[in-house]
Amino acid sequence: MYCCRLGAEWLRSKRPSGKGSPGAGQQRAGVSQCMPRWPRRPKASWPGSAIVWPAELGQELLKWNGWGYNDSKFIFNKKGQAEFTGKRYRLGGMVLPTFKEWIEKTFGASLEHKTTSRASLNVNDVPPPIVNEEFLQDLRATKISYSQDAEDRVFRAHGHCLHEIFVLREGMFKRIPDIVVWPVCHEDVVKIVELACKHNLCIIPFGGGTSVSSALECPEEEKRMIISLDTSQMNRILWIDEKNLTACVEAGIVGQDLEKQLAESGFCTGHEPDSMEFSSLGGWVATRASGMKKNIYGNIEDLVIHIKMVTPRGIVEKNCQVPRMSTGPDIHHFIMGSEGTLGVVTEVTIKIRPVPEYQKYGSVVFPNFERGVACLREVAKQRCAPASIRLVDNAQFQFGHALKPQVASIFTSFLDGLKKFYITKFKGFDPNILCVATLLFEGDREKVLQHEKQVYDIATKFGGLAAGEDNGQRGYMLTFVIAYLRDLGLDYYVIGESFETSVPWDRVLDLCRNVKERIVRECKEKGVQFAPLSTCRVTQTYDAGACVYFYFAFNYRGISDPIHVYEQIERAAREEILANGGSLSHHHGVGKLRKRWMKESISDVGLGMLRSVKEYVDPNNIFGNKNLL
Amino acid sequence: MKCYTPVIYKGLSPCKPNAIKSAVLQSEQVQYVIKQLAKEMGESPDIIQEEAMEILDEMGHRMQLGAVRFFAFTLSKIFKQLFQRVCVNEEGMQRLQHAIQEHPVVLLPSHRSYVDFLMLSYLLYTYDLALPVIAAGIDFLGMKIVGELLRRAGAFFMRRSFGGNRLYWAVFAEYVKTMLRSGYAPIEFFLEGTRSRTAKTLTPKFGLLSIVMEPFFKREVFDTYLVPISISYERILEESLYAYELLGVPKPKESTSGLLKARRILSDNFGTIHIYVGQPVSLRTLASGRISRCPYNLVPRHLPQKPSEDIQEFVSDVAYKMELLQIENMVLSPWVLVAAVLLQNLPAMEFELLIEKTLWLKGLTQTFGGFIEWPDNLCAKKAVLSGLTLHSNIAGLVDGHVVLNDKGVEDGAVGEIVFRHALAVLMCATYRNQLLNVFVRPALVAVALQMAPSFRKEEVYSCFNFLRDVFSDEFIFFPGISLKDFEEGCFLLTKCDAIQTSQQEIYPTDKGSGTVSFLSAMFRPFVEGYQVLIRLNTYIPVVNNAYKPRRLKSQLIFRYLSKEMKEAFTEKQFIPAVRNFVFQLLEKGSTQCYEALSSDMQKNALSALVQLGAVKKKKTPNGFTYNVNQEAVGKILDMFDARIPVQKPVAARL
């Protein structure tokens, strides 16, 4: 399937073992040829994230058994202090003096107890490929590049669920793709799908590989040859229409490339899921992705104008590119969220906006989580939410605090002390109860300042105190580096995961409290020896409810089968979410991980409706990743 | 002065009783109902809001530490006067202490006496635990000063019936739930709804229980602990009051002057009180896998919502489970055994034989899982004697024989003698009754063995099943597990060597015939009483044609039903009429079943008939009316009749 978070190594695919595919250079040349020339607008830095964009992505950049770039990771240096390596993120190269203490206090973890992952993939463990020779012959005739190399195949056999990473570190998947193909354009995809139908093979589309729903795992019982259709070479912007503010883009483009290339013309999509460094446009469509700044730009369903998808029945698309049409149920909604079960999205026309002139972070401290939620509710009610507004609970506030880098000057540390004194002593906030909202404003400078005032005024009514830009920015940085943290945890017997839901406003507090409590209890019952980290944040606000994101991690020393225990607890947490009136998923999707609750979520008839679409579009189950239904 | 710093719920934000009241009044739930009513009645919401405020004022507690201290002080004086000892299971109190900090707690004590809630509050106070708020009947408010004092000690008052009044229901439910959600204090109420006049556990009421469970169903709280508490009295303060009441002498209204008059009981001795605080039961654990969550997710939580059938069934199951836990933990005093033996050997029983039988019954009770307070070193004679001393108003020792103390008026009229005797029997029965719920499963198997035409398992079981249905309001059975109850009964009987079972058959052993007879004799008053109460329809012809006393025995109440009750009748008409009728029979000596005079049994029999479909219950503006289906009543009688061989009282064979 395509996925909303994308893992790795999309560039390694430029080293296919089949007949020579065009190199990266040629690809990019192709892009520029296709693209009309646009006047470039000056732009200093990338808005929205704390990332410093790499000048050029090279090969072998991504980890094979963990999240993100090879050179970016948390380590403990010789002094035993935590440090984040690399230069890609603002945190890069900085020492985090309080982090070690936090990790020891929170998890009862100790630096002396370490596990290590295998250094590299053991090719001998990899299941041998199932080969359909006739298909291979036909494929060679199309000149589409492909690979049967073990590393390439394993790389596309998984997403980034905890159990998948665990398998990579310590075991091997039972079933992996048998071949990887790299189409470079829509027509290539049409040919591949035709061949798969002809020979009755299974196709699993692969975008960025950042799935967190087991969506990329191959069904163990699949006996046909499994083709991993890697869209990474379909990464061109085909055209930009400035009059209608749309751009037609190939679906394999990765979030950061899309924004970077659009920015060259002074535009952006504004779609920024936390995985945007790695996840692809096609993956966003296939999972109904949501971006951090959806308050301004909308979620993927609001952004998409036109989709072209190749299915075993043929190509599905609309005849025009219009803002809205009344022609029966919107066929886009069969495609969005189909999770690779119906076909391959090849081209998407997406809304674009001029790059905003001004951007400002902010943060507000609330005496407690209840007041914070009440404030967010009010902001949503008045429909004045900034580009992003998030409320983290106390545990996550402390987590963020632990990632504070060493301050350079005495003056700064003095100021920090003063701030702390003001908030805890003068204003009487309890540091173990207070919580923080982080804000991101975007737009014209004047409007931003006006908007900012409006939001801070509301916050004041709920007992909030402005807490500065710096805290806000660090909050957003945390979401980009947190996936790296899991890899560090894995080295020290700490496993963890995040999950999300959406919930009506009136149940937000109850859901947060109950789910966190359920996790703590389940851990205790399952014999986890140290209290887990169980924390949440409200990450999106809507008119009728909110999106809530949970982090959950625990120290598994003394447990023989940590993954099983982990999965039981995660399942219990999901049950709790559903019992509290939350949804099965807000934006991660269902995949195979959450399939068991689909019937309960959308009723028997609803499930039947989806099945009948699948039946018609793909009667032979060519797109057989077994997601969703 | 005692330093009182109770442990409290971890999530509690402290608030005053008045803050709770205004929170209730402003709550979406109450506001919604107010708006609805305003719309329907065309009144201004302000007027209804005021009405709600009045309801709240009438209902709400004003817990004040001063009042609590005052109460604790006086109560300790009074309790010391009345009772010898109060025994509590310490580990239960410790468990309670943990539970109170963790989740909202609901205390569910058994209800035998007004002393129950006073004693429990006093106990919690003494153990430095948060004082409960208590749902008490509104009739207490009639008591001057005391009502107010109770209120300040944490009681809140509910009207006995308010089913029709939506505003009252909304305000009351929200008041209870607000206190529960905030973890303000443990909530205490009685599942049985009222004091059991017979010391038998009453079938549970569901209203309040479903209110306190709702916050969990809606996930407004993570969990709720239900704590069954068994309170047993060696001698019940209201024992004679109850007996009078059962015989139709009305309950005196609660009044302060009545309380002052009751002073004279202070000089009396009421023995020991046993309080067993059960293991807190997590509602979440009970509900896991049972409750479909959909209905609560699709409607805003503040809208009043009729619970689904699932939920209703669950609430009822929980209620029964809690009562069964109460029964399981109820401490039984030796006197209870004495009373059970004595009742089977009226009018007089040799003292030595009584001791022997009591000792034998002790063993049997323990086999059946009864929880008897009988110190190891206490010899049987002493135990029986001390029981007799404590209960000298009920029975006494005359010439080496134990007899009931029913000679209030010498040479009274026949009616007077019957009444006195009935009084003594009912009082004595109150103590025997404490055994019944422990014995009911094996005993009904024993009765079924005697009823069934053969020893074939199915036939015994079908008799058992019939009895279980008939007595469903009389004893506490977990709904719907008849077979399990039957098997448990058989198991216990096998355990004490009373029966043997083969693949197809169940039969009494030679050794065990005594046990089987004893058990069926123990329940005979109920079997006979019900028949008396069911049989009135065939009675008149029998009397007219040929008087057959033996047959009559098993024919009392239902006769009455179809003869006299051609028209629809109400419970208020039914009870006195039946009472008079049974009274006549007793005067004539045509039955010995004094317990059929008990209004409790009469009500239960009527409701059993309703459940069995022999009587139709209809709701009218003036309450419920009943209509008899004579054919069905006849059928039920046949089931009793055709199968019960008429025989001499089994007790004689013991």
Side-chain angles (χ1 to χ4, degrees):
Chain A
M1 80 137 222
Y2 279 15
C3 36
C4 87
R5 278 166 72 164
L6 101 80
E9 184 110 356
W10 50 281
L11 274 167
R12 282 179 52 174
S13 55
K14 290 177 186 147
R15 192 190 40 140
S17 55
K19 283 190 182 169
S21 72
Q26 282 168 288
Q27 281 288 311
R28 291 195 189 263
V31 175
S32 53
Q33 276 163 17
C34 273
M35 241 172 52
R37 303 228 159 233
W38 302 101
R40 297 192 175 188
R41 293 182 193 174
K43 189 172 146 312
S45 79
W46 174 249
S49 80
I51 305 167
V52 181
W53 298 96
E56 186 66 40
L57 287 170
Q59 289 189 350
E60 304 285 345
L61 274 176
L62 301 174
K63 294 196 190 76
W64 71 278
N65 63 350
W67 179 263
Y69 300 105
N70 268 327
D71 57 6
S72 302
K73 62 182 171 214
F74 284 95
I75 56 157
F76 286 106
N77 64 20
K78 282 171 198 153
K79 285 190 212 154
Q81 284 175 316
E83 203 180 313
F84 192 67
T85 63
K87 292 207 170 94
R88 294 174 190 282
Y89 299 87
R90 197 158 289 195
L91 207 56
M94 292 203 190
V95 173
L96 315 166
T98 55
F99 187 64
K100 182 180 158 208
E101 193 196 330
W102 178 83
I103 233 182
E104 285 171 342
K105 207 179 85 194
T106 311
F107 298 107
S110 153
L111 296 192
E112 273 134 48
H113 300 280
K114 209 176 166 200
T115 66
T116 36
S117 162
R118 279 188 315 216
S120 63
L121 184 68
N122 186 352
V123 179
N124 297 330
D125 292 345
V126 176
I130 295 172
V131 181
N132 184 318
E133 281 300 338
E134 293 161 18
F135 166 74
L136 272 187
Q137 269 173 18
D138 285 350
L139 183 64
R140 280 186 203 111
T142 63
K143 311 271 189 214
I144 295 169
S145 56
Y146 68 91
S147 161
Q148 287 171 290
D149 172 67
E151 279 182 44
D152 289 334
R153 287 163 51 222
V154 169
F155 196 85
R156 285 159 189 80
H158 65 89
H160 279 267
C161 287
L162 176 71
H163 65 266
E164 293 169 315
I165 299 302
F166 221 76
V167 166
L168 282 175
R169 286 168 66 100
E170 304 192 351
M172 182 39 65
F173 299 104
K174 292 211 173 84
R175 186 79 173 90
I176 66 168
D178 300 304
I179 185 170
V180 182
V181 296
W182 284 274
V184 295
C185 59
H186 172 76
E187 284 68 32
D188 283 357
V189 175
V190 173
K191 283 180 211 159
I192 295 169
V193 173
E194 270 170 7
L195 288 183
C197 290
K198 181 178 160 197
H199 298 284
N200 188 25
L201 307 179
C202 173
I203 299 179
I204 299 185
F206 181 93
T210 55
S211 152
V212 283
S213 59
S214 297
L216 284 170
E217 278 178 273
C218 301
E220 274 173 41
E221 65 283 2
E222 181 60 68
K223 296 284 181 305
R224 299 173 295 182
M225 183 177 184
I226 297 178
I227 304 163
S228 177
L229 191 154
D230 186 321
T231 59
S232 60
Q233 304 309 302
M234 300 164 46
N235 57 4
R236 295 166 299 174
I237 295 176
L238 298 179
W239 47 256
I240 291 177
D241 177 350
E242 232 175 316
K243 289 201 183 70
N244 295 308
L245 286 178
T246 54
C248 183
V249 188
E250 286 186 316
I253 195 166
V254 169
Q256 60 171 316
D257 290 350
L258 175 62
E259 294 298 27
K260 201 164 51 170
Q261 289 174 33
L262 283 174
E264 285 168 9
S265 325
F267 292 105
C268 66
T269 65
H271 185 71
E272 292 184 21
D274 290 352
S275 61
M276 70 166 298
E277 303 159 86
F278 311 109
S279 58
S280 70
L281 174 58
W284 301 337
V285 170
T287 52
R288 293 180 67 84
S290 169
M292 180 179 93
K293 298 195 288 195
K294 73 96 194 151
N295 291 336
I296 293 183
Y297 299 97
N299 288 318
I300 196 73
E301 67 271 20
D302 311 309
L303 285 166
V304 158
I305 294 291
H306 184 266
I307 302 172
K308 198 191 263 187
M309 178 164 80
V310 181
T311 76
R313 275 274 166 197
I315 293 156
V316 53
E317 62 180 326
K318 293 182 183 174
N319 73 327
C320 52
Q321 314 217 35
V322 292
R324 182 175 194 276
M325 57 204 273
S326 174
T327 45
D330 191 340
I331 55 163
H332 282 174
H333 285 283
F334 289 124
I335 299 170
M336 286 187 287
S338 61
E339 305 194 353
T341 57
L342 299 178
V344 188
V345 176
T346 54
E347 287 167 18
V348 178
T349 304
I350 192 164
K351 290 195 225 169
I352 55 172
R353 300 285 305 164
V355 170
E357 169 196 322
Y358 186 66
Q359 198 179 32
K360 192 173 181 191
Y361 288 98
S363 66
V364 182
V365 190
F366 290 99
N368 56 41
F369 194 63
E370 289 76 12
R371 302 284 275 167
V373 170
C375 174
L376 260 64
R377 204 284 160 266
E378 184 60 29
V379 166
K381 206 183 209 168
Q382 298 192 17
R383 291 204 172 161
C384 64
S388 167
I389 178 166
R390 288 175 173 176
L391 180 76
V392 303
D393 69 359
N394 184 267
Q396 216 167 116
F397 160 72
Q398 303 206 4
F399 183 12
H401 223 67
L403 288 174
K404 217 170 176 175
Q406 207 158 25
V407 282
S409 73
I410 301 170
F411 182 66
T412 331
S413 78
F414 172 73
L415 270 186
D416 279 352
L418 211 61
K419 257 190 249 167
K420 195 173 162 190
F421 177 81
Y422 176 71
I423 288 177
T424 59
K425 295 289 183 310
F426 192 71
K427 282 290 176 178
F429 284 23
D430 182 341
N432 292 312
I433 296 179
L434 63 80
C435 73
V436 178
T438 58
L439 309 165
L440 172 62
F441 297 91
E442 241 181 55
D444 299 343
R445 191 185 155 82
E446 215 163 283
K447 274 190 192 148
V448 163
L449 295 178
Q450 213 179 341
H451 193 177
E452 194 185 15
K453 183 173 180 309
Q454 189 186 4
V455 173
Y456 281 115
D457 283 351
I458 295 174
T460 312
K461 278 189 205 140
F462 292 88
L465 290 176
E469 281 184 69
D470 208 39
N471 281 320
Q473 194 165 3
R474 200 169 38 250
Y476 289 99
M477 176 194 66
L478 185 67
T479 51
F480 284 95
V481 297
I482 192 140
Y484 289 99
L485 267 176
R486 185 171 75 188
D487 293 335
L488 178 76
L490 278 168
D491 287 342
Y492 295 95
Y493 290 94
V494 175
I495 51 179
E497 183 77 280
S498 60
F499 52 92
E500 42 74 43
T501 187
S502 49
V503 59
W505 276 116
D506 70 317
R507 296 176 199 245
V508 169
L509 284 175
D510 289 331
L511 181 133
C512 291
R513 183 196 58 231
N514 290 344
V515 172
K516 287 194 279 188
E517 171 105 29
R518 178 76 181 263
I519 290 171
V520 172
R521 280 175 172 256
E522 292 285 332
C523 281
K524 210 170 174 186
E525 270 169 39
K526 302 282 183 309
V528 175
Q529 295 179 7
F530 305 92
L533 172 71
S534 172
T535 159
C536 72
R537 64 166 186 255
V538 179
T539 58
Q540 287 292 5
T541 62
Y542 293 86
D543 288 350
C547 166
V548 182
Y549 212 94
F550 292 90
Y551 289 132
F552 150 49
F554 64 88
N555 180 342
Y556 69 85
R557 266 173 56 217
I559 295 177
S560 59
D561 191 355
I563 292 301
H564 181 66
V565 167
Y566 164 79
E567 280 171 353
Q568 283 179 315
I569 296 169
E570 190 192 23
R571 192 173 150 185
R574 183 58 63 181
E575 295 275 354
E576 192 61 37
I577 286 176
L578 296 174
N580 280 274
S583 65
L584 189 52
S585 172
H586 170 264
H587 59 271
H588 280 178
V590 176
K592 292 182 268 289
L593 194 63
R594 286 176 276 273
K595 245 166 96 163
R596 75 175 96 230
W597 292 289
M598 267 302 269
K599 195 164 104 179
E600 183 185 338
S601 290
I602 62 168
S603 82
D604 267 341
V605 177
L607 203 59
M609 286 162 80
L610 295 187
R611 283 214 175 99
S612 66
V613 170
K614 165 83 178 168
E615 199 106 306
Y616 173 77
V617 172
D618 183 16
N620 296 318
N621 196 28
I622 300 301
F623 288 88
N625 59 14
K626 295 253 171 100
N627 288 338
L628 204 61
L629 299 174
Chain B
M1 207 187 254
K2 183 174 166 352
C3 169
Y4 175 65
T5 46
V7 292
I8 49 169
Y9 174 53
K10 61 176 181 205
L12 176 69
S13 41
C15 54
K16 291 258 178 319
N18 271 334
I20 289 192
K21 280 190 196 171
S22 64
V24 170
L25 209 59
Q26 295 312 319
S27 69
E28 284 173 313
Q29 285 81 341
V30 170
Q31 286 298 323
Y32 176 81
V33 173
I34 287 177
K35 272 183 207 142
Q36 284 294 89
L37 287 175
K39 213 185 281 170
E40 279 168 32
M41 301 176 358
E43 292 230 37
S44 121
D46 293 346
I47 294 176
I48 298 175
Q49 170 117 355
E50 230 156 79
E51 209 177 304
M53 193 66 217
E54 277 163 27
I55 293 176
L56 258 177
D57 280 338
E58 174 194 272
M59 179 162 63
H61 73 89
R62 273 200 292 278
M63 200 193 276
Q64 284 175 352
L65 206 55
V68 172
R69 284 187 200 282
F70 172 77
F71 248 104
F73 179 77
T74 5
L75 283 178
S76 72
K77 297 286 171 222
I78 296 174
F79 287 158
K80 273 179 197 158
Q81 277 290 320
L82 284 173
F83 304 106
Q84 288 170 344
R85 285 184 304 159
V86 178
C87 302
V88 187
N89 62 329
E90 288 265 349
E91 83 281 2
M93 294 306 284
Q94 273 160 20
R95 287 189 301 233
L96 184 60
Q97 186 182 352
H98 286 296
I100 284 177
Q101 294 169 68
E102 229 178 322
H103 297 300
V105 165
V106 179
L107 304 176
L108 301 170
S110 60
H111 203 10
R112 301 286 172 271
S113 164
Y114 282 140
V115 179
D116 288 332
F117 63 84
L118 297 175
M119 180 53 85
L120 201 55
S121 292
Y122 176 67
L123 193 70
L124 293 181
Y125 176 78
T126 317
Y127 275 83
D128 228 5
L129 294 175
L131 280 174
V133 287
I134 308 152
I138 208 145
D139 17 5
F140 275 110
L141 264 187
M143 301 168 80
K144 282 169 210 142
I145 308 171
V146 176
E148 199 49 37
L149 268 175
L150 280 176
R151 202 197 273 285
R152 292 187 184 193
F156 63 96
F157 298 96
M158 62 189 290
R159 294 182 190 161
R160 286 271 176 220
S161 61
F162 49 84
N165 188 339
R166 274 155 68 197
L167 186 64
Y168 192 90
W169 173 260
V171 171
F172 180 78
E174 191 49 33
Y175 185 63
V176 174
K177 284 188 277 187
T178 304
M179 286 191 290
L180 184 94
R181 278 193 292 252
S182 64
Y184 175 78
I187 290 177
E188 175 184 325
F189 64 90
F190 301 101
L191 275 174
E192 296 166 272
T194 180
R195 293 169 302 161
S196 166
R197 268 63 167 174
T198 58
K200 245 175 336 95
T201 302
L202 303 175
T203 50
K205 305 273 183 295
F206 306 126
L208 250 170
L209 187 64
S210 65
I211 290 179
V212 298
M213 282 160 85
E214 208 182 87
F216 169 73
F217 291 149
K218 293 185 171 173
R219 293 302 194 274
E220 291 162 341
V221 294
F222 183 77
D223 198 351
T224 304
Y225 276 131
L226 306 176
V227 186
I229 298 176
S230 319
I231 307 176
S232 54
Y233 299 86
E234 204 173 358
R235 185 175 163 207
I236 296 167
L237 205 60
E238 294 101 323
E239 57 179 4
S240 61
L241 222 61
Y242 287 160
Y244 276 107
E245 213 180 295
L246 288 173
L247 290 172
V249 182
K251 164 186 170 191
K253 228 182 148 202
E254 277 86 359
S255 71
T256 307
S257 62
L259 189 77
L260 291 176
K261 276 181 209 146
R263 239 171 357 160
R264 97 192 132 71
I265 59 169
L266 279 179
S267 55
D268 233 340
N269 178 9
F270 288 86
T272 307
I273 302 179
H274 285 99
I275 301 178
Y276 188 95
V277 180
Q279 176 86 39
V281 179
S282 146
L283 181 55
R284 172 173 278 268
T285 314
L286 290 175
S288 87
R290 276 205 57 171
I291 303 295
S292 154
R293 41 214 170 205
C294 232
Y296 290 105
N297 287 349
L298 291 178
V299 179
R301 293 187 293 181
H302 67 271
L303 297 192
Q305 200 181 348
K306 195 174 179 298
S308 66
E309 261 169 47
D310 265 26
I311 300 273
Q312 285 178 13
E313 197 189 305
F314 177 68
V315 171
S316 143
D317 284 359
V318 171
Y320 275 99
K321 191 183 164 87
M322 289 300 129
E323 289 204 339
L324 286 168
L325 285 171
Q326 283 176 3
I327 291 166
E328 194 184 309
N329 297 327
M330 190 74 82
V331 175
L332 305 167
S333 67
W335 168 251
V336 166
L337 308 176
V338 175
V341 174
L342 194 58
L343 272 177
Q344 288 190 27
N345 294 279
L346 291 178
M349 189 179 189
E350 219 179 295
F351 184 55
E352 294 301 324
L353 188 62
L354 176 64
I355 292 171
E356 186 189 318
K357 284 286 161 207
T358 304
L359 210 52
W360 169 81
L361 185 56
K362 178 191 163 203
L364 191 66
T365 310
Q366 281 166 340
T367 314
F368 289 170
F371 190 169
I372 304 177
E373 162 72 11
W374 191 309
D376 287 337
N377 51 1
L378 186 67
C379 80
K381 189 173 173 185
K382 262 192 190 157
V384 174
L385 265 181
S386 87
L388 280 173
T389 319
L390 192 63
H391 297 276
S392 55
N393 59 328
I394 298 178
L397 200 54
V398 181
D399 300 335
H401 281 74
V402 179
V403 291
L404 277 192
N405 200 346
D406 57 356
K407 305 290 182 285
V409 188
E410 287 297 324
D411 303 325
V414 185
E416 182 66 22
I417 291 170
V418 169
F419 186 80
R420 307 275 345 160
H421 189 69
L423 212 55
V425 168
L426 286 183
M427 262 154 77
C428 199
T430 303
Y431 293 95
R432 175 213 56 199
N433 283 348
Q434 299 180 22
L435 272 187
L436 294 182
N437 271 308
V438 176
F439 275 63
V440 67
R441 284 161 200 82
L444 287 192
V445 173
V447 176
L449 269 176
Q450 296 191 336
M451 268 171 76
S454 78
F455 288 143
R456 286 165 47 92
K457 227 177 200 171
E458 314 86 83
E459 280 177 328
V460 178
Y461 174 62
S462 79
C463 283
F464 175 86
N465 205 12
F466 167 72
L467 290 169
R468 191 180 179 275
D469 286 347
V470 169
F471 292 133
S472 60
D473 278 14
E474 199 72 50
F475 307 110
I476 304 302
F477 298 103
F478 193 83
I481 54 160
S482 185
L483 188 60
K484 221 175 135 203
D485 282 343
F486 178 66
E487 277 164 358
E488 192 192 324
C490 291
F491 168 76
L492 290 174
L493 285 179
T494 320
K495 202 166 142 195
C496 61
D497 289 331
I499 59 165
Q500 279 187 327
T501 55
S502 68
Q503 207 65 6
Q504 279 92 33
E505 290 197 322
I506 298 175
Y507 45 91
T509 58
D510 296 339
K511 214 173 97 196
S513 64
T515 311
V516 171
S517 314
F518 180 87
L519 290 178
S520 51
M522 192 177 200
F523 282 74
R524 183 159 303 273
F526 294 92
V527 175
E528 277 184 19
Y530 268 56
Q531 287 170 309
V532 165
L533 298 175
I534 294 171
R535 185 162 299 247
L536 258 56
N537 56 339
T538 52
Y539 170 60
I540 302 299
V542 169
V543 172
N544 287 349
N545 301 341
Y547 183 56
K548 293 178 196 158
R550 278 164 44 126
R551 199 143 164 73
L552 191 66
K553 262 202 160 173
S554 50
Q555 293 192 350
L556 290 183
I557 279 204
F558 285 171
R559 269 178 233 175
Y560 183 76
L561 278 181
S562 51
K563 172 66 187 168
E564 303 277 317
M565 301 298 189
K566 293 264 193 269
E567 307 288 313
F569 58 94
T570 64
E571 195 179 276
K572 271 205 180 114
Q573 296 166 324
F574 172 76
I575 300 287
V578 171
R579 184 185 303 126
N580 284 339
F581 177 76
V582 177
F583 214 73
Q584 284 167 25
L585 291 183
L586 285 166
E587 276 180 346
K588 279 185 205 142
S590 47
T591 178
Q592 290 299 316
C593 187
Y594 281 86
E595 290 183 46
L597 276 175
S598 154
S599 59
D600 182 65
M601 187 187 287
Q602 291 155 2
K603 283 178 201 163
N604 288 340
L606 184 60
S607 106
L609 285 177
V610 171
Q611 272 176 36
L612 293 169
V615 169
K616 291 268 169 296
K617 187 175 178 181
K618 257 196 275 180
K619 197 175 176 179
T620 67
N622 307 322
F624 291 103
T625 63
Y626 299 84
N627 270 307
V628 179
N629 174 346
Q630 304 204 1
E631 206 178 315
V633 169
K635 225 180 200 168
I636 292 172
L637 279 175
D638 283 345
M639 292 182 78
F640 265 123
D641 231 22
R643 292 170 189 180
I644 292 197
V646 181
Q647 48 184 230
K648 295 227 156 105
V650 185
R653 286 180 5 210
L654 261 174

